């Protein structure tokens, strides 16, 4: 207990304050910040538990088996990731509907849980300190609660926030298992869940092995350790079965494993994450996402911890953090240095930064200046997180356009719903039609095909398969007019959406169809945009034209 301004402050009070600060930063404006990176890929698929991304360069089993019944094993996993994340997100969509806020809700909740878990974890590892590890645990929780990368990933429709909370829980259960061998099943189940969320959870295995060698060698031969690993294998078995059947069908494993093993994947000509963010960009990407003070202090913490470990030191907290950071970095050599992968480092770097700050405090003899250093570090980290997550976060107008379309369609579908030549996809359209009443007149969306695929999936493909609203690219619309004639759309209200170069575009695509169609509308028909969507610096992002055929 500490005495602050005459008030008795218990560690529990401080933890509650840290959790509240972390929750506010993660939940504030959660549904209104811009759709960024791969969020559309994950959100669209999670809504219907559907392994499909409307991309001919990255097809999925639902397309490969379009002319036959989907094999039973295709329901065990997705073509590029294990399925647990999508099942969790799908549960939220089923309960609360398919808004961007709901899409990000599992990540935000997991982010706050991770703050609590790192507190428990550090207290467990630092329990031999005079205060029982209480204050180093609180400082680690505080460092994570205001860390920019962890705030960002907690506000995103990406897997890593849920994975980080699962990893921290599994580490905690591992430490409990080391103390009580009867708890092996909880460790095994949670370890399998880490793998089932995302393969990058495999970095834990060498960390656990080395930790046991360093601190509890006799545990290597423990029967319950083998049982726990067996349980983890059983939890992961659906993915293993999926990959065996996938290999027998197309000659390679899923996208992630095929990349690791260098397999030829003619069905997947696009897997840009590994190409755009190779490990050679690690330093540059770290500097872009973490603050300079955080990087410097945590780097010194890593060096200090590594030296302590190599000198035979017995600091479990420092050793575990160093081993985790090292294992993750080795994994990233093969996986690449995408921003979302770098978020896995955030809890362990937060711990190392606190260890270093406390060493400085100890070296100074507990002088007041070192306390100001710790406070200044946390305050700057909060400023850096708020600046990155709110003040300078990209704004491409995608969320504004989504809100506008929600307002225009007003929860109704077109009485002439979309159709798919793929019977599996057509079944999904038919099932979701029952959820929305038809509008009075048929309508259709025509959109600029140059828009980035992630944004297209959220804005338009989602409305095709889950809302019963026809949406086609400008090129598809032109082809439709050639084959069926304009009279087939008589009475339709058309919403044409033209993207400006300032928004999120597909950098490998430049098709003139939308520009040509806009020129026809403005010059040939003297039509003006019904709505202009703006973004950062008040620049135009989209023009929406409305007309009736």
């Amino acid at each position: 207990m500490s005495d602050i301004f005459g008030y008795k402050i218990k560690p529990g009070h401080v933890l509650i304050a840290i959790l509240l600060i972390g929750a506010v930063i993660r939940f504030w404006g959660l549904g209104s910040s811009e759709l960024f990176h791969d969020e559309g890929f994950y959100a669209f698929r999670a809504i219907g538990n559907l392994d499909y991304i409307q991309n001919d360069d990255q097809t999925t089993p639902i397309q490969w088996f379009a002319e036959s019944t989907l094999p039973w094993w295709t329901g065990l996993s997705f073509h590029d990731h294990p399925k647990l994340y999508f099942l969790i997100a799908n549960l939220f969509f089923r309960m609360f509907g398919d808004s961007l806020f709901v899409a990000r809700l599992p990540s935000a909740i997991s982010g706050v849980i991770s703050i609590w878990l790192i507190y428990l974890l550090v207290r467990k590892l630092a329990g031999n300190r005079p205060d029982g590890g209480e204050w180093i645990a609180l400082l680690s929780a505080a460092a994570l609660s205001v860390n920019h990368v962890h705030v960002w990933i907690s506000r995103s429709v990406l897997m890593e926030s849920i994975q980080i909370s699962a990893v921290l829980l599994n580490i905690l259960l591992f430490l409990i298992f080391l103390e009580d061998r009867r708890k092996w099943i909880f460790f095994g189940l949670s370890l399998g869940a880490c793998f089932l969320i995302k393969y990058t959870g495999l970095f834990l295995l060498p960390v656990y092995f080395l930790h046991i060698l360093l601190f509890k060698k006799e545990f290597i031969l423990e029967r319950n350790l083998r049982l726990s690993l067996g349980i983890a294998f059983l939890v992961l078995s659906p993915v293993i079965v999926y990959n065996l059947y996938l290999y027998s069908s197309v000659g390679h494993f899923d996208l992630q494993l095929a990349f690791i093993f260098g397999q030829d994947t003619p069905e997947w000509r696009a897997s840009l994450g590994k190409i755009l963010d190779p490990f050679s960009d690690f330093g540059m990407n770290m500097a872009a996402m973490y603050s300079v003070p955080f990087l410097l202090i945590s780097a010194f913490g890593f060096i200090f911890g590594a030296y302590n470990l190599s000198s035979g030191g017995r600091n479990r907290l420092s050793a575990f953090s160093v081993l985790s950071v090292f294992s993750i970095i080795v994994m990233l050599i093969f996986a690449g240095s995408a921003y979302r992968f770098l978020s896995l480092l955030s809890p362990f770097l937060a711990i190392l930064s606190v260890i270093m700050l406390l060493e400085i405090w100890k070296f100074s003899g507990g002088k007041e200046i070192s306390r100001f250093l710790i406070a200044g570090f946390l305050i700057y980290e909060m400023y850096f997180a708020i600046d990155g997550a709110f003040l300078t976060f990209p704004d491409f107008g995608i969320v504004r356009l989504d809100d506008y379309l929600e307002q225009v369609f007003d929860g109704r579908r077109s009485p002439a719903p979309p159709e798919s030549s793929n019977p599996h996809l057509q079944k999904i359209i038919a099932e979701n039609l029952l959820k929305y009443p038809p509008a009075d007149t048929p309508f259709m969306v025509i959109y600029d095909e140059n828009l980035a695929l992630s944004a297209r999936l959220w804005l338009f493909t989602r409305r095709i398969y889950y809302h019963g609203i026809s949406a086609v690219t400008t090129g598809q619309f032109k082809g439709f007019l050639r084959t069926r004639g304009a009279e087939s759309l008589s009475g339709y209200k058309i919403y044409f959406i033209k993207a400006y170069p300032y928004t999120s575009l597909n950098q490998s695509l430049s098709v003139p169809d939308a520009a040509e169609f806009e020129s026809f509308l403005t010059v040939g028909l003297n039509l003006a945009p019904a709505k202009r969507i703006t973004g950062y610096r008040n620049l135009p992002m989209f023009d929406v034209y409305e007309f009736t055929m």
Side-chain angles (χ1 to χ4, degrees):
M1 183 179 296
S2 299
D3 194 321
I4 302 177
F5 300 120
Y7 294 94
K8 299 295 183 181
I9 304 296
K10 296 180 180 179
H13 299 154
V14 179
L15 179 61
I16 290 172
I18 291 169
L19 290 170
L20 286 174
I21 291 171
V24 169
I25 298 175
R26 284 157 180 77
F27 280 91
W28 188 274
L30 187 64
S32 58
S33 60
E34 188 56 278
L35 188 84
F36 186 66
H37 211 270
D38 289 343
E39 288 190 286
F41 287 93
Y42 298 115
F44 166 73
R45 292 191 285 171
I47 293 170
N49 190 25
L50 172 64
D51 188 16
Y52 172 69
I53 57 172
Q54 201 184 37
N55 184 6
D56 291 337
D57 287 332
Q58 192 168 319
T59 56
T60 65
I62 205 168
Q63 295 161 278
W64 308 341
F65 299 101
E67 303 303 322
S68 62
T69 302
L70 274 176
W72 65 271
W73 55 267
T74 60
L76 297 176
S77 188
F78 277 8
H79 79 284
D80 56 346
H81 291 292
K83 206 169 182 178
L84 184 54
Y85 167 84
F86 295 101
L87 292 175
I88 294 170
N90 177 259
L91 178 63
F92 277 79
F93 283 125
R94 286 178 180 274
M95 291 190 297
F96 306 117
D98 65 344
S99 68
L100 194 53
F101 175 84
V102 174
R104 290 169 173 161
L105 191 56
S107 292
I109 293 173
S110 296
V112 177
I113 291 174
S114 292
I115 299 170
W116 176 59
L117 287 172
I118 199 173
Y119 162 79
L120 297 176
L121 173 61
V122 173
R123 196 173 65 171
K124 174 71 71 175
L125 284 167
N128 60 341
R129 294 170 65 93
D131 66 347
E134 192 72 59
W135 288 104
I136 191 172
L138 288 170
L139 286 172
S140 298
L144 188 65
S145 73
V146 296
N147 177 263
H148 169 244
V149 175
H150 194 260
V151 169
W152 165 66
I153 209 69
S154 300
R155 294 172 56 84
S156 302
V157 193
L158 298 173
M159 298 178 175
E160 277 68 21
S161 182
I162 293 177
Q163 187 190 28
I164 289 170
S165 62
V167 162
L168 294 176
L169 175 62
N170 181 247
I171 295 172
L172 184 62
L173 292 173
F174 168 72
L175 297 173
I176 293 172
F177 170 45
L178 291 181
E179 297 173 353
D180 185 350
R181 301 178 186 192
R182 295 171 299 176
K183 304 293 177 63
W184 61 272
I185 192 167
F186 301 109
F187 166 62
L189 288 172
S190 59
L191 180 63
C194 287
F195 303 154
L196 209 53
I197 292 171
K198 199 167 185 179
Y199 293 139
T200 46
L202 289 167
F203 84 89
L204 288 168
L205 291 179
V207 176
Y208 291 152
F209 177 73
L210 291 172
H211 185 85
I212 291 173
L213 282 182
L214 288 168
F215 297 100
K216 208 157 187 174
K217 288 182 180 179
E218 70 279 6
F219 217 80
I220 286 289
L221 301 176
E222 173 61 40
R223 173 176 174 271
N224 286 358
L225 177 61
R226 296 193 296 275
L227 288 174
S228 63
L229 295 177
I231 286 290
F233 180 83
L234 284 176
V235 173
L236 189 62
S237 61
V239 175
I240 297 171
V241 172
Y242 176 91
N243 274 282
L244 291 175
Y245 274 97
L246 184 66
Y247 187 87
S248 68
S249 298
V250 294
H252 58 74
F253 298 129
D254 69 27
L255 191 147
Q256 306 299 333
L257 296 179
F259 176 81
I260 292 172
F261 293 117
Q263 294 175 324
D264 184 38
T265 55
E267 300 86 2
W268 304 324
R269 296 188 297 272
S271 180
L272 299 179
K274 310 291 189 305
I275 301 169
L276 295 179
D277 294 293
F279 183 73
S280 57
D281 291 342
F282 176 78
M284 180 179 66
N285 289 348
M286 287 287 287
M289 294 301 289
Y290 290 96
S291 73
V292 172
F294 183 87
L295 285 175
L296 289 175
I297 294 172
S298 60
F300 280 119
F302 179 84
I303 294 169
F304 173 82
Y307 174 78
N308 182 272
L309 186 60
S310 64
S311 303
R314 306 295 293 173
N315 187 322
R316 288 205 307 160
L317 177 61
S318 174
F320 202 97
S321 301
V322 166
L323 291 174
S324 297
V325 169
F326 181 76
S327 183
I328 292 171
I329 290 175
V330 171
M331 179 184 67
L332 295 183
I333 293 174
F334 304 96
S337 63
Y339 292 156
R340 60 186 183 274
F341 295 158
L342 301 182
S343 67
L344 286 175
L345 291 164
S346 59
F348 307 106
L349 293 180
I351 294 171
L352 289 172
S353 67
V354 169
I355 290 174
M356 194 68 241
L357 287 170
L358 290 179
E359 286 299 319
I360 294 172
W361 177 78
K362 190 189 303 181
F363 180 78
S364 71
K367 290 182 179 178
E368 201 69 25
I369 186 67
S370 59
R371 297 190 181 188
F372 281 112
L373 175 64
I374 294 172
F377 170 76
L378 292 174
I379 291 170
Y380 181 80
E381 280 296 288
M382 179 181 287
Y383 159 75
F384 190 79
I386 291 173
D387 180 66
F390 298 97
L391 304 181
T392 60
F393 197 76
D395 179 5
F396 300 121
I398 296 165
V399 173
R400 286 195 179 95
L401 176 58
D402 185 43
D403 291 341
Y404 176 75
L405 295 176
E406 284 293 313
Q407 178 185 350
V408 167
F409 300 146
D410 193 27
R412 294 179 177 272
R413 63 172 176 84
S414 174
E419 296 180 354
S420 173
S421 58
N422 184 310
H424 308 304
L425 295 175
Q426 181 59 38
K427 181 182 177 182
I428 293 168
I429 293 173
E431 289 173 348
N432 285 284
L433 286 179
L434 303 175
K435 299 177 182 178
Y436 298 92
D440 295 331
T441 57
F443 60 90
M444 174 185 285
V445 177
I446 304 169
Y447 62 90
D448 191 334
E449 49 264 75
N450 295 303
L451 193 61
L453 181 56
S454 178
R456 286 171 54 176
L457 286 169
W458 180 256
L459 289 170
F460 308 118
T461 313
R462 172 174 65 103
R463 289 183 162 90
I464 295 172
Y465 293 102
Y466 304 132
H467 293 193
I469 296 173
S470 294
V472 297
T473 67
T474 318
Q476 290 170 335
F477 180 69
K478 290 169 69 175
F480 184 90
L481 292 181
R482 282 194 298 268
T483 57
R484 300 193 187 183
E487 61 276 4
S488 63
L489 295 176
S490 179
Y492 270 71
K493 184 162 187 178
I494 304 296
Y495 299 89
F496 169 59
I497 298 166
K498 172 67 173 66
Y500 278 84
Y502 311 110
T503 192
S504 179
L505 300 179
N506 185 340
Q507 299 303 313
S508 60
L509 187 68
S510 181
V511 179
D513 290 338
E516 293 171 357
F517 189 57
E518 182 182 41
S519 178
F520 167 73
L521 294 178
T522 55
V523 178
L525 301 182
N526 198 29
L527 198 64
K531 178 71 174 180
R532 173 162 292 174
I533 306 293
T534 59
Y536 65 93
R537 300 176 188 169
N538 207 34
L539 290 170
M541 299 293 158
F542 300 96
D543 277 342
V544 183
Y545 296 84
E546 299 179 10
F547 59 94
T548 301
M549 295 290 288

